[in-house]
Amino acid sequence: MSSSFVAPLNTDVLLTEASNENLYFNLIEQINKDFNLANESIDLPQDIQPEELKSALHEKIYRLIQYKFAEYLNLLYIVDVPEDQIKKLDGSDIAELAKQVAFLVLKREWMKVWFRNKY
């Protein structure tokens, strides 16, 4: 178990790491909690499979970007996704953008869960 946080390279690595550290449920709880705080509940079930989680998150963010942009920005603020990371993304393809943002959201949520567990 490493003592310093290393950001996973992609969603699959992140979800595998969360499972391996038995923090997958905490991650789901954290995502549900932050989405609720943003008044955009996502209601992920505790037994959701990593693939489904990935796709639910992608879908939700895609819809927010497309139809509820203010709520989308609010969600990013609540989750605390660094603005500079969002600005680096290419917004020309919304589906691809949503996928990348979903990963950033997941990465930030995972970081919160990881630190809370370690310290």
Side-chain angles (χ1 to χ4, degrees), residues 1-101:
M1 193 175 337
S2 66
S3 59
S4 65
F5 183 81
V6 178
L9 297 177
N10 62 46
T11 304
D12 297 329
V13 171
L14 186 154
L15 294 173
T16 301
E17 231 174 80
S19 298
N20 291 347
E21 299 210 22
N22 296 319
L23 293 173
Y24 183 69
F25 295 122
N26 306 53
L27 181 61
I28 292 169
E29 278 174 2
Q30 185 65 50
I31 293 168
N32 282 333
K33 183 181 140 198
D34 282 345
F35 274 74
N36 282 333
L37 280 173
N39 293 320
E40 280 303 330
S41 88
I42 190 167
D43 294 326
L44 300 169
Q46 283 289 302
D47 61 355
I48 193 169
Q49 293 303 303
E51 257 330 289
E52 296 170 54
L53 166 62
K54 200 164 118 176
S55 110
L57 199 57
H58 178 245
E59 170 98 359
K60 179 74 172 179
I61 288 173
Y62 179 81
R63 286 169 186 255
L64 287 174
I65 291 172
Q66 198 137 23
Y67 306 111
K68 300 169 95 177
F69 201 73
E71 289 84 349
Y72 160 72
L73 295 176
N74 185 44
L75 174 73
L76 294 179
Y77 176 74
I78 285 173
V79 173
D80 192 24
V81 176
E83 206 176 318
D84 61 319
Q85 289 183 6
I86 296 289
K87 285 186 171 144
K88 282 181 200 154
L89 303 177
D90 174 10
S92 57
D93 176 348
I94 294 180
E96 186 52 39
L97 175 66
K99 194 164 144 190
Q100 294 174 354
V101 171

